[in-house]
Amino acid sequence: MSQSSAAYVEGAVDYSTKIPNNVGLANDARVLKALEQWHPGYIDWWNTMGPEGFQTADVYLRTAVSIDPKGWAQFGYVKMPEYRWGVLLAPQDQQRQVNFGASRGEAAWQDVPGEHRASLRRLIVIQGDTEPASVEQQRHLGKTAPSLYDMRNLFQINVEEGRHLWAMVYLLHKYFGRDGREEADGLLQRRSGDPDKPRMLGAFNEATPDWLSLFMFTFFTDRDGKMQLESLAQSGFDPMSRTCRFMLTEEAHHMFVGETGVGRVIERTCEAMKAAGIEDPYDINKVRALGVIDLPTIQKKANLHFSLSLDLFGSEVSTNAANFYNAGLKGRFMETKIEDDHALTTSTYPVLKLVDGQIRMVDEPALTALNMRLRDDYVKDCQGGVNRWNKVFEKYGVKFQLTLPSVAFNRAIGQFGDIEASPEGKQLSQTEWMRLRDQWLPSKDDGAFIDSLMLPCWERGKYANWIAPPKAGIDSKPGDFEYVKIEEA
Ligand SMILES: [Fe+2]
Ligand SMILES: [Fe+2]
């Protein structure tokens, strides 16, 4: 750390303990000891389940050295197992209150209210479980990175998801005693995709087979993470709120990687089509012959990752969600900016439901419709990114638009979990679905084609043929910067 950044006042991170933190661990012997005991298991997990084949490489990573919104990141070469994963909470606001639910108006809780202990623990464990899961899903991708820039971004996301695990584990150890310890151990034992001990949520047990999947995952699934963190950041349990607020600053980069990643794939395909004089985006064989990913396949990948991510919001109508809200534990997106009574005991919210076999909008009590509401906010957020992708087609004069499929398409959870529907939301029989599925979701052939493009491109400043270079380097570095120093075996 340079002198100037070491001179921070508020929000500075204490590096004197094994676990960097801004929560006073040096004066909290019990929690420090618990975390130090958890640490070797974490490193063991990282070494066996983290990025495969790059644990000794020097990676140009950012590390949080402060929680100051303007200057929390420090960039430098780090070997990933030596990354300083820390416990970082956003600053405490002494005036903060519980802003919704039955306890609205009370001072925000600095400890866990006894009656909400089980619910809170569950929320923390579910959030915590997603963090290591994504690292496991992405562990093999370094080997096929399309550039050192992209490889570095992948590893940055991976170490930060590791830090998010630390964030949740800190809450478990600090506030939940023996149960918390057991849950923290469990977070290191489950494995993405393992039939015997899977991760808790569906999307986090799916494979991330290639880089287009990674970009779609970080666009769609990390964005679910953002929405969940936003609503947990509203929590009346103040340490949870502060933890999530700082996590959100890191999450923004993950979604940036997703949005710009897909954008660069689109850009490269359009550019190659234009150069080759191909006007019909559906002339898939011709486009693929150029060594770029055809646009209909990009749409299929978006369909898949969007629908998997929608499942993460749970059932549209949910008494759990109502209870979490009423208890002041999990709020709405932008809760404090919404103008209503923040109790929701009398209001309604429109929910898309399956009624007599028809997809219809039905008013439900707002309290039980909170998952639906958060999902609606999520869909709006996704649409913004899709609109920005669509500008690229306009720029190149390519007649194509990406769209988000209907929320009834390819769902496993909620109102549409038991039916099949087209991307337009038309209900289909099982037979129709089986016949048409490969038009809408990546087929084996699509997967094999994308796979054939996934060849490493690790020369400084070079990019694989199927993806355009980024507009700017990380930390203002020049185009040929060596973001990862790969040791020759
Ligand atoms: Fe995360
Ligand atoms: Fe993330």
Side-chain angles (χ1 to χ4, degrees):
M1 193 190 297
S2 70
Q3 273 307 310
S4 60
S5 58
Y8 278 117
V9 270
E10 210 212 332
V13 177
D14 177 3
Y15 275 92
S16 70
T17 48
K18 190 167 190 176
I19 298 135
N21 71 92
N22 70 346
V23 293
L25 279 185
N27 304 317
D28 192 344
R30 181 189 66 83
V31 177
L32 180 60
K33 187 165 166 235
L35 289 173
E36 282 179 349
Q37 282 175 349
W38 188 79
H39 188 268
Y42 171 81
I43 294 297
D44 195 43
W45 167 81
W46 179 269
N47 283 327
T48 48
M49 295 314 293
E52 202 181 339
F54 296 91
Q55 302 278 10
T56 57
D58 285 311
V59 186
Y60 193 70
L61 294 174
R62 72 175 182 186
T63 304
V65 292
S66 154
I67 48 164
D68 180 336
K70 285 188 233 68
W72 59 268
Q74 174 198 297
F75 286 86
Y77 284 107
V78 182
K79 293 190 200 326
M80 285 184 279
E82 291 161 18
Y83 189 78
R84 299 300 306 269
W85 286 284
V87 175
L88 303 161
L89 272 60
Q92 185 174 349
D93 168 4
Q94 302 288 348
Q95 309 302 319
R96 192 165 175 270
Q97 298 186 337
V98 181
N99 292 315
F100 56 91
S103 306
R104 186 172 175 235
E106 282 180 22
W109 307 310
Q110 298 307 321
D111 218 326
V112 181
E115 68 271 35
H116 301 325
R117 199 181 157 81
S119 302
L120 250 177
R121 195 184 61 208
R122 184 165 172 73
L123 285 170
I124 293 168
V125 171
I126 290 174
Q127 179 62 42
D129 194 64
T130 65
E131 314 289 357
S134 66
V135 175
E136 293 163 5
Q137 288 169 295
Q138 297 161 15
R139 69 183 300 255
H140 59 92
L141 287 172
K143 291 179 194 159
T144 55
S147 71
L148 294 180
Y149 166 90
D150 290 290
M151 186 191 284
R152 177 263 165 212
N153 283 347
L154 167 70
F155 295 159
Q156 181 70 55
I157 292 172
N158 293 159
V159 294
E160 284 175 352
E161 301 303 9
R163 204 200 66 72
H164 293 175
L165 174 59
W166 273 98
M168 293 297 120
V169 163
Y170 164 72
L171 293 180
L172 289 170
H173 277 299
K174 167 97 181 157
Y175 298 98
F176 294 89
R178 177 200 289 226
D179 308 354
R181 264 200 316 279
E182 283 168 10
E183 296 283 15
D185 291 344
L187 288 167
L188 292 177
Q189 282 154 13
R190 288 182 289 275
R191 291 284 181 272
S192 176
D194 187 319
D196 298 324
K197 43 182 173 93
R199 291 294 173 182
M200 297 170 86
L201 301 173
F204 292 90
N205 286 305
E206 298 282 331
T208 310
D210 55 66
W211 277 77
L212 183 54
S213 284
L214 173 76
F215 294 139
M216 290 292 181
F217 184 96
T218 48
F219 180 85
F220 287 110
T221 308
D222 282 76
R223 191 177 308 276
D224 158 73
K226 166 188 156 179
M227 301 310 287
Q228 302 301 336
L229 290 174
E230 286 276 5
S231 41
L232 293 172
Q234 305 291 337
S235 185
F237 177 50
D238 205 40
M240 167 83 116
S241 166
R242 293 170 57 202
T243 304
C244 291
R245 272 183 275 148
F246 189 74
M247 288 164 77
L248 280 163
T249 60
E250 294 165 314
E251 210 57 61
H253 172 70
H254 308 179
M255 284 175 292
F256 161 86
V257 169
E259 182 171 329
T260 56
V262 175
R264 288 162 53 213
V265 177
I266 295 171
E267 174 116 32
R268 180 66 195 115
T269 300
C270 289
E271 190 183 66
M273 284 171 62
K274 197 136 196 219
I278 301 172
E279 287 196 350
D280 180 5
Y282 295 92
D283 201 341
I284 287 171
N285 292 335
K286 259 196 190 164
V287 174
R288 287 187 176 181
L290 303 172
V292 296
I293 304 175
D294 56 284
L295 304 177
T297 297
I298 296 175
Q299 175 70 64
K300 288 186 196 180
K301 284 276 201 187
N303 289 349
L304 175 65
H305 288 272
F306 179 66
S307 54
L308 286 172
S309 302
L310 290 178
D311 278 342
L312 294 171
F313 290 84
S315 291
E316 290 84 346
V317 178
S318 158
T319 46
N320 267 342
N323 291 338
F324 291 151
Y325 186 87
N326 210 28
L329 302 179
K330 185 179 177 187
R332 290 171 291 178
F333 182 55
M334 304 278 184
E335 180 70 45
T336 49
K337 307 246 161 67
I338 301 171
E339 286 191 21
D340 63 10
D341 66 1
H342 303 274
L344 305 183
T345 40
T346 54
S347 47
T348 61
Y349 188 86
V351 174
L352 213 50
K353 291 182 82 173
L354 200 62
V355 184
D356 301 330
Q358 300 291 318
I359 297 170
R360 289 226 191 101
M361 204 63 109
V362 180
D363 277 345
E364 286 285 333
L367 210 44
T368 53
L370 284 164
N371 286 347
M372 175 76 189
R373 180 177 180 125
L374 191 61
R375 197 186 77 191
D376 282 344
D377 289 328
Y378 167 79
V379 173
K380 267 182 238 151
D381 213 46
C382 289
Q383 188 62 53
V386 172
N387 295 346
R388 289 186 286 277
W389 290 337
N390 283 337
K391 293 229 166 70
V392 182
F393 301 120
E394 285 163 31
K395 178 178 149 195
Y396 283 89
V398 170
K399 288 196 188 64
F400 195 85
Q401 292 279 282
L402 286 169
T403 53
L404 295 174
S406 156
V407 295
F409 172 78
N410 191 42
R411 297 296 306 283
I413 286 178
Q415 290 290 318
F416 312 110
D418 293 330
I419 63 156
E420 299 301 351
S422 71
E424 292 74 37
K426 181 177 167 285
Q427 263 199 75
L428 304 170
S429 69
Q430 266 304 321
T431 339
E432 284 173 301
W433 167 255
M434 290 312 284
R435 186 167 56 81
L436 294 165
R437 187 202 166 279
D438 281 1
Q439 293 186 14
W440 301 322
L441 290 171
S443 67
K444 270 215 170 80
D445 284 355
D446 298 329
F449 169 69
I450 295 177
D451 212 42
S452 74
L453 298 181
M454 297 296 125
L455 302 170
C457 181
W458 298 347
E459 223 178 298
R460 289 165 62 160
K462 290 267 167 12
Y463 289 82
N465 181 60
W466 55 270
I467 188 165
K471 296 223 169 13
I474 293 293
D475 191 30
S476 311
K477 291 298 175 201
D480 64 346
F481 187 71
E482 193 172 16
Y483 290 101
V484 184
K485 292 182 179 168
I486 298 167
E487 290 176 22
E488 294 302 330

